[in-house]
């Protein structure tokens, strides 16, 4: 199977007074098409930092990230932006919808950035899939947290990404709403065959993925493979 | 790989992203509308003005050609005048006392006595209109309307000039060659030459003799003027042609409207700073959006393009709205400047000026907006994952930022130079503005640092919170400092300078100093005049003899010789008539700079040791020990510069370029000036009337007249400057309102939070009040301090006089501006407390 994400001895240090603060040290792992992976660990262990580096949002101090065969280290900001636009989807803990755009427009953003002029139909379709077919022209301020996150999910999938990064997507939601979002996430993921990297504090949720990467103090404490068949996940999630 | 973020995406994103902020954006941009309006109005008016001057140049002179001398034309010039032919008119102008018997009004005026059909072009406008033609038919006078008003005179009344009585045939409304402001200096009375009291033109009195020509044979008058000029210069006769008059007016008026343009430019700059600050806040609020866009693959420049598009649209809107408003304002300007204009300026749109205004407005706005906007390129997509803080250093290192600073400084200087009457003025203006802006900004920073460092942790909560708002993130301290400070600075500087100048004139007549001067007294009238003064119970403080003379030779070369030498720079100082005196002492208005003052002519010497005033010495190029030969009314007199004096010209007394020792000029033809001091206006009026009644050729001028003339002229100038400054002040208010509204958006969340935590409405409002109280106080104090410093510098370096500070005015300004700030701040906080908390909390993306 082709590798979607290859992370090789990734280290991130922040310069701080006196000496550098190393928040990520020698992290190495590989994900293949369709893999689902949970990143867990205590607060401050470097989960978000790792996610940012994998998506090319930040540059590592050392080490290498290959995303869909492209070495991010060799690219400048703009080129990385294009890689993201082409291959990557995001779901954030605090939704990050653009407040001045309607739900529909928010979903269309990644497609429009790609120059796709026919983004409307798939966007409407996706909003329908997340159950917001009647909220197309509503602005984020008119939506509840759970609805916002559903819009964010639709936005994440509009470009049919090969890999989806989700940083605590249910962190700001109540358990019930969170569960709905997770179910949707897995559904969409499975039907699109997308690789999923999910940062979470929820061990139950982590167990529903194919692999758990445990971080502690910036280092990989354990790397646990639960299943190799992502299809099984869907069954369990749907159950 | 396909590239996203093309022009189409940028435009549609720019449009969508502006949702919900459009009204706010318009408010921000309205800050520059007034500045553009001021520039467009002034420049478009300027273009019309020049056109009017060009078109009406002939009416400015009223003739094709004029000759002018400060004495009656000598016979050879009269012969030349005869030979020139054409139609001719004569005019003699001089200062004299005018007496209105009915109301017993008496004042110094400019008499213009006419013979002939002058003006040939344009017209003397009078009320009633026919008086302009008929007054020459008999002993009639036309009197300036201000003078009529001053003395309550009516058409049909009498006015006495010298020993002759004239019937007022009409009031003068408009005359060729003169702007209305001229009558503030000295009101005019038109008379026929025929029947003029000839004693008024006696030796020693100043009079201008003019002859005006109109040629019907279409000869080239400019060429004729060129040909006459060198010949007539020798006889001290000046030649004016239409072209020359037009050029002079053009230059003067261009300076005038350009100067006003500079005042307007200040408003544009202030507005732009306001726009920059608003954009800064706007961009901060967009950081999250930008980060999300970057996350989903938007490249840096197209994202920047989204916001640049918004800024440019804003700038375009402001520039066009400003131009439109400017054209409206343009209608007002001719009225504003009516006193200073020699021609009527019709309204017409100068499209060039409009284009220039739009260009400058757009350019300056975008340039200023770019400063905060370029930060958009640097927004990291990582911010979508977590709200990381951006280190300041990163921003400073952006080379584009420095390039922008350079571009801004260069652009503003260039625009100032383009707008200024002279390049140096433009540079000085730009530097001065940079200093004022820089100082205000520095004080703002200082206040923030001080408030943070020496935070009064023992103060009550509300006060601490309000004070902390000055330096907390997203504060408005800097921009309010600029808007309020600049406004206070402008108003106060104008006021203080005006006060200082008026006070200076008032002081010149302080206790014991003379405040009434009689001049043009013939030697045989001296005793009579002093007798009348003493009889009125007033002291004769001083009596100064005056001898008129011209320079014949300087440092061994005659003036004729210098004239022929094209390399020698001959100035007015060389050819003018000098009125000199002789005395054995320096007055208290004089200080010796060099040499020794020789008061009495030494017996053995044959060269007269004279004292020269410092500035005229520089003009003449003479120094201690140089010889100057004077022509004292036909008699040559060789002198040597024995001393150089500095003279305080502002004193209400007679001052001289050259003073002679006693013992040489006593027998030369001379006239006298007598200085006295009248305790009040009534006493002054009585003695003037008595003297002028007995000796009609004697003129009088008193301090109150000088003061009123000065105040009138300064008042009109100040009015015009204030009108232009108004644009800056209004802009300041808009910027203030904009800044306050911006902070409302920022503070709403906080207010809701405070409210949720249990703060009462009273507490919330008091926090706001404390914040704006501090802001208003600090900004106004800084602006006022700068104003005092600036006016002091003006007073010291330009007007050479001590500054008059008015504590009452300063306190008043402090109270008003601070109150205004507080008011706007509180007004704006209305309703914030009532906002439902939920709505605000949900508004978060
Ligand atoms: N810009 C920065 N400068 C210095 N240290 C930073 C910076 N950004 C993050 N860190 C540090 O890096 C460490 C890892 O942060 P990270 O956000 O990746 O943790 P996390 O595992 O996502 O935590 P959480 O579960 O609370 O979200 C933390 O200790 C954080 O303080
Ligand atoms: Mg995190």
């Amino acid at each position: 199977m082709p590798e979607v994400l290859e992370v090789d001895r990734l280290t991130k240090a922040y310069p701080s007074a006196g000496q550098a603060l190393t928040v990520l040290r020698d992290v190495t792992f590989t994900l293949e098409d369709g893999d689902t992976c949970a990143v867990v660990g205590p607060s401050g262990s470097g989960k978000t930092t790792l996610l940012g580096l994998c998506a090319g949002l930040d540059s590592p101090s050392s080490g290498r990230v290959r995303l869909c065969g492209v070495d991010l280290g060799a690219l400048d900001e703009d080129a990385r932006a294009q890689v993201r636009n082409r291959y990557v989807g995001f779901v954030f803990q605090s939704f990050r919808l653009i407040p001045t755009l309607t739900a529909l427009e928010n979903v269309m953003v990644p497609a429009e950035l790609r120059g796709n002029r026919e983004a409307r139909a798939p966007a409407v379709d996706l909003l329908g899939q997340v159950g917001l077919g009647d909220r197309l022209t509503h602005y984020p301020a008119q939506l509840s947290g759970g609805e916002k996150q559903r819009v964010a999910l639709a936005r994440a999938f509009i470009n049919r990404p090969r890999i989806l990064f989700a940083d605590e997507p249910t962190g700001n939601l109540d358990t019930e709403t969170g569960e709905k979002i997770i179910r949707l996430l897995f559904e969409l993921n499975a039907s699109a065959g997308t690789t999923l990297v999910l940062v979470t504090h929820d061990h139950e949720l982590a167990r529903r993925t194919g692999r758990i990467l445990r971080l502690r103090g910036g280092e990989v404490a354990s790397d646990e493979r639960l299943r190799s068949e992502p299809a099984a996940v869907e069954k369990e999630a749907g159950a | 790989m396909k590239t996203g973020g093309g022009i189409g995406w940028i435009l549609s994103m720019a449009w969508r992203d502006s949702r919900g902020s459009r009204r706010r954006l318009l408010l921000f941009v309205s800050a520059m509308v007034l500045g553009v309006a001021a520039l467009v109005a002034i420049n478009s008016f300027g273009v019309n003005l020049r056109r009017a001057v060009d078109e009406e140049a002939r009416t400015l002179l009223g003739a094709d050609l004029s000759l002018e001398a400060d004495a009656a034309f000598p016979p050879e010039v009269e012969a030349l005048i005869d030979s020139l032919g054409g139609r001719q008119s004569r005019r003699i102008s001089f200062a004299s006392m005018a007496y209105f018997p009915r109301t017993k009004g008496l004042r110094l005026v400019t008499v213009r006595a006419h013979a002939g059909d002058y003006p040939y072009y344009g017209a003397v406008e009078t009320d009633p209109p026919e008086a302009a033609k008929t007054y020459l038919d008999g002993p009639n006078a036309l009197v300036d309307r201000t003078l009529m008003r001053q003395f309550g005179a009516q058409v049909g009344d009498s006015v006495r000039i010298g020993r002759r009585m004239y019937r007022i045939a009409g009031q003068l409304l408009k005359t060729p060659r003169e702007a209305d402001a001229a009558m503030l200096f000295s009101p005019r009375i038109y008379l026929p030459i025929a029947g003029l009291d000839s004693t008024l033109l006696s030796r020693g009195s100043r009079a201008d003799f003019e002859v005006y020509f109109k040629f019907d044979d279409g000869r080239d008058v400019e060429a004729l003027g060129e040909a006459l000029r060198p010949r007539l210069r020798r006889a001290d006769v000046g030649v004016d042609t239409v072209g020359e008059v037009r050029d002079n007016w053009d230059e003067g008026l261009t300076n005038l409207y350009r100067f006003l343009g500079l005042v307007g430019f200040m408003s544009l700059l202030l507005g732009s700073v306001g726009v920059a600050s608003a954009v800064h806040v706007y961009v901060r609020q967009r950081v999250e959006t930008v980060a999300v866009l970057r996350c989903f693959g938007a490249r840096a420049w197209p994202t920047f393009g989204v916001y640049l598009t918004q800024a440019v649209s804003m700038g375009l809107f402001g520039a066009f709205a400003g131009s439109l408003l400017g054209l409206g304002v343009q209608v007002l300007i001719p009225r504003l400047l009516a006193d200073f204009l020699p021609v009527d300026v019709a309204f017409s749109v100068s499209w060039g000026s409009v284009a220039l205004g739009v260009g400058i407005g757009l350019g300056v706005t975008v340039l200023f907006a770019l400063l905060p906007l370029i930060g958009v390129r640097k927004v990291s997509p990582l911010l979508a994952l977590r709200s990381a803080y951006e280190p300041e250093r990163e921003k400073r290192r952006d080379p584009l930022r420095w390039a922008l600073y350079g571009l801004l400084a260069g652009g503003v200087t260039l625009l100032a130079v383009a707008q200024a009457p002279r390049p140096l003025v433009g540079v000085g203006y730009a530097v001065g503005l940079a200093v004022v802006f820089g100082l205000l900004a520095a004080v703002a920073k200082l206040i923030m640092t001080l408030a943070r460092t020496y935070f009064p942790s023992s103060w009550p909560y509300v006060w601490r919170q309000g004070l902390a708002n000055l330096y907390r993130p997203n504060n408005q301290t800097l921009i309010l400092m600029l808007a309020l400070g600049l406004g206070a600075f402008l108003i106060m500087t104008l006021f203080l300078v005006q006060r200082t100048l008026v006070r200076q004139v008032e002081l010149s007549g302080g206790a014991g100093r003379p405040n009434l001067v009689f001049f043009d007294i013939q030697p045989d009238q001296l005793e009579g005049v002093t007798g009348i003064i003493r009889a009125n119970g007033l002291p004769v403080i001083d009596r100064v003899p005056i001898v008129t003379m011209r320079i014949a030779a300087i440092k061994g070369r005659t003036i004729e010789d210098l004239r022929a030498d094209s390399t020698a720079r001959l100035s007015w100082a060389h050819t003018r008539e000098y009125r000199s005196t002789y005395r054995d002492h320096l007055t208290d208005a004089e200080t010796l700079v060099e040499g020794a003052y020789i008061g009495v002519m030494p017996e053995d010497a044959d060269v007269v040791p004279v004292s020269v005033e410092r500035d005229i010495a520089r003009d003449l190029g003479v120094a201690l020990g140089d010889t100057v030969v004077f022509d004292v009314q036909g008699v040559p007199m060789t002198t040597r510069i024995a001393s150089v004096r500095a003279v305080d010209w502002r004193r209400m007394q007679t001052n001289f370029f050259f003073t002679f020792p006693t013992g040489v000029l006593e027998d030369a033809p001379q006239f006298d000036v007598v200085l006295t001091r009248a305790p009040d206006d009534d006493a002054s009026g009585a003695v003037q009337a008595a003297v002028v009644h007995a000796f009609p050729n004697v003129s009088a001028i008193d301090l109150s007249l000088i003061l009123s003339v000065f105040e009138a002229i300064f008042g009109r100038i100040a009015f015009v400057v204030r009108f232009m400054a108004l644009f800056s002040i209004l802009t300041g208010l808009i910027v203030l309102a904009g800044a306050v509204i911006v902070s409302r958006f920022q503070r709403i969340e906080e207010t809701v939070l405070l409210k949720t935590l249990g703060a009462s409405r009273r507490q919330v409002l008091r926090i706001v009040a404390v914040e704006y109280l501090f802001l208003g106080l600090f900004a106004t104090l800084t602006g006022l301090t700068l104003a005092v410093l600036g006016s002091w510098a003006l007073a010291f370096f330009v007007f050479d006089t001590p500054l008059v500070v008015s504590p009452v005015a300063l306190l008043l300004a402090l109270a008003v501006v601070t109150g205004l700030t507080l008011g706007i701040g509180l007004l704006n906080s209305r309703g914030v407390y009532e906002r439902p908390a939920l709505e605000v909390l949900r508004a978060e993306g």
Side-chain angles (χ1 to χ4, degrees):
Chain A
M1 271 212 178
E3 277 111 24
V4 180
L5 180 66
E6 291 175 74
V7 174
D8 187 20
R9 290 197 307 266
L10 204 56
T11 298
K12 178 71 183 178
Y14 287 106
S16 71
Q19 82 220 48
L21 172 74
T22 306
V23 297
L24 216 58
R25 196 190 310 271
D26 277 337
V27 174
T28 303
F29 67 94
T30 305
L31 291 178
E32 292 177 351
D33 257 337
D35 279 359
T36 56
C37 170
V39 180
V40 298
S43 181
S45 56
K47 305 183 292 293
T48 300
T49 308
L50 176 64
L51 205 68
L53 288 172
C54 291
L57 301 179
D58 200 1
S59 318
S61 305
S62 69
R64 216 164 49 116
V65 176
R66 281 176 75 87
L67 193 61
C68 303
V70 184
D71 182 358
L72 293 182
L75 302 181
D76 65 10
E77 272 282 352
D78 279 345
R80 291 208 299 260
Q82 288 194 344
V83 169
R84 281 197 297 275
N85 183 252
R86 197 162 172 77
Y87 300 119
V88 182
F90 284 97
V91 180
F92 307 101
Q93 177 175 355
S94 50
F95 324 135
R96 301 290 186 200
L97 295 184
I98 295 175
T100 51
L101 303 188
T102 62
L104 179 63
E105 285 167 347
N106 261 295
V107 175
M108 284 160 62
V109 163
E112 284 180 327
L113 271 171
R114 197 184 256 203
N116 180 356
R117 287 168 190 283
E118 273 86 50
R120 199 187 145 83
V124 171
D125 191 40
L126 269 167
L127 278 171
Q129 284 186 48
V130 299
L132 292 174
D134 52 348
R135 310 295 295 270
L136 300 184
T137 57
H138 284 200
Y139 288 95
Q142 298 167 304
L143 300 173
S144 73
E147 287 162 347
K148 276 189 237 188
Q149 197 62 307
R150 281 190 271 160
V151 175
L153 274 180
R155 174 177 66 180
F157 282 97
I158 185 80
N159 270 356
R160 315 203 126 265
R162 276 183 71 188
I163 183 164
L164 182 76
F165 293 103
D167 191 3
E168 301 184 40
T170 58
N172 278 356
L173 302 171
D174 63 81
T175 339
E176 204 174 315
T177 316
E179 179 54 35
K180 274 189 207 147
I181 293 292
I182 289 301
R183 216 176 294 152
L184 265 173
L185 176 61
F186 280 124
E187 269 170 31
L188 288 165
N189 190 55
S191 64
T194 308
T195 304
L196 174 69
V197 181
L198 177 69
V199 171
T200 182
H201 282 288
D202 182 346
H203 287 273
E204 279 302 304
L205 175 56
R207 304 226 143 264
R208 284 149 73 172
T209 62
R211 179 175 179 184
I212 299 179
L213 207 61
R214 207 174 301 275
L215 291 185
R216 182 160 298 132
E219 293 182 61
V220 179
S222 73
D223 183 354
E224 188 183 348
R225 278 166 206 273
L226 303 172
R227 267 172 282 265
S228 51
E229 271 303 310
V233 176
E234 192 212 350
K235 266 178 226 146
E236 187 177 317
Chain B
M1 207 177 277
K2 232 178 163 182
T3 50
I7 291 291
W9 178 78
I10 290 176
L11 292 182
S12 82
M13 198 60 207
W15 175 246
R16 289 177 187 165
D17 181 75
S18 67
R19 274 180 200 147
S21 330
R22 281 175 207 146
R23 284 231 314 262
R24 204 150 40 111
L25 287 175
L26 283 188
L27 173 73
F28 298 156
V29 86
S30 63
M32 49 155 306
V33 165
L34 286 173
V36 172
L39 278 190
V40 167
I42 278 292
N43 285 332
S44 182
F45 164 77
V47 169
N48 288 339
L49 176 62
R50 294 190 70 133
R51 188 185 310 132
V53 166
D54 286 354
E55 278 170 3
E56 296 188 31
R58 288 198 304 190
T59 69
L60 286 176
L61 184 58
D64 292 323
L65 178 77
S66 85
L67 305 185
E68 178 190 12
D70 52 14
F73 297 115
E76 68 274 17
V77 176
E78 285 292 355
L80 176 76
I81 292 171
D82 264 351
S83 72
L84 284 174
R87 288 157 70 192
Q88 302 183 359
S89 291
R90 299 282 179 146
R91 163 150 110 177
I92 306 171
S93 305
F94 55 91
S96 175
M97 299 304 280
Y99 178 65
F100 296 87
R102 193 170 67 80
T103 53
K104 297 199 167 45
L106 183 70
R107 95 160 260 181
L108 189 67
V109 299
T110 296
V111 174
R112 298 204 190 284
H114 291 88
D117 303 331
Y118 178 81
Y120 298 111
Y121 303 105
V124 175
E125 285 174 28
T126 56
D127 175 30
E130 63 277 10
K133 294 267 179 297
T134 57
Y135 81 102
L136 289 175
D137 300 343
N140 300 312
L142 302 177
V143 178
D144 251 339
R145 63 170 191 276
T146 50
L147 195 59
M148 300 274 282
R149 213 174 297 142
Q150 183 185 352
F151 292 116
Q154 287 150 10
V155 172
D157 280 1
S158 302
V159 58
R160 204 182 68 199
I161 307 288
R163 294 177 193 285
R164 303 268 187 279
M165 202 63 99
Y166 295 86
R167 196 188 73 91
I168 299 176
Q171 44 180 329
L172 276 174
L173 302 179
K174 207 163 169 16
T175 59
R177 285 207 96 164
E178 291 169 314
D180 285 359
M183 75 180 140
L184 295 175
F185 286 100
S186 177
R188 295 151 301 182
I189 293 188
Y190 274 34
L191 304 174
I193 285 183
L196 202 62
D197 180 355
S198 58
T199 61
L200 295 177
L201 300 174
S202 54
R203 185 182 297 282
S205 314
R206 294 290 288 257
D208 272 334
F209 292 79
E210 291 160 289
V211 56
Y212 289 92
F213 296 87
K214 179 178 192 306
F215 302 113
D216 298 319
D217 48 8
R219 67 180 98 173
D220 182 349
V221 181
E222 296 300 324
L224 177 65
E226 282 309 310
L228 287 175
R229 229 163 251 137
R231 279 171 66 191
L232 286 172
R233 195 178 295 150
R234 236 167 293 142
D236 288 311
V237 173
V239 179
D240 262 340
T241 57
V242 173
E244 178 119 338
V245 169
R246 180 187 52 217
D247 291 349
N248 285 344
W249 274 112
D250 257 357
E251 198 186 314
L253 293 175
T254 303
N255 281 350
L256 176 70
Y257 85 79
R258 291 210 152 173
F259 166 74
L260 293 179
L262 276 187
V263 182
F265 190 49
M266 177 145 18
S267 144
L268 181 64
L269 285 184
L270 179 60
S272 301
V273 172
V275 170
S277 132
V279 169
H280 179 78
V281 173
Y282 184 78
V283 163
R284 269 195 195 196
Q285 293 170 340
R286 291 297 190 269
V287 160
E288 203 183 292
T289 298
V290 171
V292 172
L293 286 176
R294 305 275 286 117
C295 245
F296 283 102
R299 285 170 299 139
W301 283 107
T303 315
F304 167 76
V306 168
Y307 293 96
L308 182 65
T309 305
Q310 290 182 352
V312 170
S313 325
M314 226 164 73
L316 269 176
F317 178 85
F320 277 110
S323 299
L324 222 61
L325 184 65
L327 292 178
V329 172
Q330 193 194 324
V331 180
L332 294 178
I333 293 180
R335 272 185 229 165
L336 194 68
L337 293 179
D339 289 338
F340 303 95
L341 301 179
V343 291
D344 287 327
V345 180
F347 176 83
S348 99
V349 176
S350 153
W351 291 111
S353 305
V354 172
L356 190 75
V358 170
I360 291 182
L362 183 62
V364 171
T365 312
V366 170
L367 222 52
F368 272 88
L370 272 178
L371 222 43
L373 274 186
I374 55 168
V376 167
R377 296 173 310 132
K378 298 277 173 184
V379 170
S380 164
L382 201 57
L383 290 180
L385 278 184
R386 69 158 130 252
S387 316
Y389 86 108
E390 287 168 282
E392 265 304 292
R393 247 182 311 120
E394 194 70 33
K395 257 164 99 184
R396 297 243 169 85
R397 248 189 260 129
D398 191 347
L400 201 63
R401 181 165 296 273
W402 289 105
L404 263 180
Y405 281 133
L407 206 64
L408 258 177
V412 167
T413 310
L414 214 71
L415 290 176
V417 167
Q419 186 69 51
R422 277 173 293 131
L424 205 64
V425 173
V427 173
Y429 173 86
V431 170
L433 263 186
V435 168
V436 171
F437 273 72
L439 281 176
L440 284 172
V443 171
K445 290 257 184 243
L446 187 73
I447 286 170
M448 288 191 256
T449 313
L450 287 181
R452 190 178 339 202
T453 319
Y454 300 104
F455 192 73
S457 24
S458 59
W459 285 13
Y461 169 73
V462 167
W463 285 83
R464 272 182 291 137
Q465 186 74 16
L467 186 65
N469 280 351
L470 294 186
Y471 60 77
R472 291 190 336 183
N474 293 333
N475 64 71
Q476 295 291 307
T477 307
L478 184 65
I479 184 62
L480 286 184
M481 197 73 190
L482 283 178
L484 290 171
L486 197 69
F489 169 76
L490 277 179
I491 303 173
M492 229 345 118
T493 305
L494 225 64
F495 178 80
L496 287 180
V497 168
Q498 183 171 5
R499 279 290 299 251
T500 297
L501 292 181
V502 170
R503 185 88 189 111
Q504 177 192 336
V505 178
E506 282 170 357
L507 274 181
S508 69
R513 294 243 177 83
N515 62 5
L516 177 59
V517 179
F518 290 97
F519 54 96
D520 286 352
I521 304 168
Q522 301 298 314
D524 58 352
Q525 298 173 326
L526 183 60
E527 248 168 70
V529 172
T530 52
I532 294 173
I533 292 172
R534 292 209 177 89
N536 273 265
L538 304 183
V540 173
I541 295 176
D542 205 358
R543 173 241 144 184
V544 184
I546 290 173
V547 180
T548 60
M549 54 186 71
R550 285 174 189 283
I551 295 175
I554 214 163
K555 290 193 275 191
R557 295 187 69 182
T558 64
I559 296 297
E560 297 300 306
D561 190 16
L562 287 169
R563 230 176 227 151
D565 181 356
S566 57
T567 62
R569 268 180 45 244
L570 210 56
S571 70
W572 182 61
H574 291 85
T575 60
R576 60 166 287 161
E577 185 183 68
Y578 284 91
R579 308 175 137 210
S580 306
T581 192
Y582 51 90
R583 52 172 139 84
D584 58 7
H585 59 277
L586 289 172
T587 67
D588 59 359
E590 298 171 320
T591 40
L592 201 61
V593 178
E594 260 185 297
Y597 191 83
I598 298 174
V600 183
M601 180 70 188
E603 302 237 324
D604 48 343
D606 48 356
V607 175
V608 183
V610 296
S611 178
V612 65
E613 190 268 336
R614 183 169 50 184
D615 294 333
I616 204 83
R618 198 181 308 128
D619 289 351
L620 290 170
V622 294
L624 223 53
D626 286 343
T627 58
V628 177
V629 179
F630 282 99
D631 169 0
V632 184
Q633 292 164 55
V635 182
M637 182 171 287
T638 306
T639 67
R640 180 178 53 81
I641 309 287
S643 66
V644 180
R645 288 164 301 132
V647 174
D648 181 359
W649 293 99
R650 298 180 311 249
R651 295 293 180 79
M652 174 85 185
Q653 66 188 54
T654 48
N655 285 313
F656 298 92
F657 287 124
F658 286 95
T659 57
F660 284 63
T662 57
V664 266
L665 292 175
E666 276 77 355
D667 296 330
Q670 54 193 275
F671 62 94
D672 285 272
V673 170
V674 168
L675 298 96
T676 180
R677 177 173 181 81
D680 52 50
D681 284 352
D682 287 345
S684 176
V687 72
Q688 285 184 57
V691 168
V692 174
H693 191 76
F695 306 104
N697 64 301
V698 174
S699 294
I701 190 159
D702 73 357
L703 188 71
S704 65
L705 182 65
I706 295 181
L707 258 181
S708 67
V709 167
F710 180 82
E711 277 180 341
I713 290 168
F714 199 93
R716 311 237 168 157
I717 294 172
F719 179 68
V720 175
V721 174
R722 243 182 254 139
F723 179 79
M724 294 310 293
L726 190 69
F727 283 86
S728 295
I729 289 158
L730 286 180
T731 298
L733 280 180
I734 294 176
V735 171
L736 174 65
V740 167
I741 287 174
V742 162
S743 55
R744 171 193 170 107
F745 276 81
Q746 288 167 344
R747 295 285 152 76
I748 269 183
E749 252 173 66
E750 184 181 308
T751 305
V752 166
L753 203 61
L754 284 174
K755 181 172 139 185
T756 316
L757 295 177
S760 69
R761 173 216 296 280
R762 217 175 123 77
Q763 280 172 316
V764 168
L765 282 185
R766 272 168 62 196
I767 291 172
V768 174
V770 167
E771 180 182 357
Y772 285 103
L773 183 72
F774 278 128
L775 271 176
L777 265 180
F778 288 142
T780 318
L781 272 177
T782 313
L784 293 182
T785 309
L786 283 179
V788 171
L789 289 178
S791 330
W792 173 82
L794 276 176
F796 187 81
F797 293 111
V798 181
F799 303 116
D800 196 17
T801 182
L803 176 69
V804 179
V805 183
S806 158
V808 177
L810 287 174
L811 282 176
L812 199 71
L814 186 65
V816 168
V817 183
T818 308
L820 203 67
T821 317
L822 195 61
I824 291 183
L826 286 177
L827 200 70
N828 186 58
S829 305
R830 247 177 342 135
V832 167
Y833 191 80
E834 281 71 24
R835 283 281 292 268
L838 201 65
E839 180 188 326
V840 176
L841 294 180
R842 177 169 295 181
E844 262 203 287

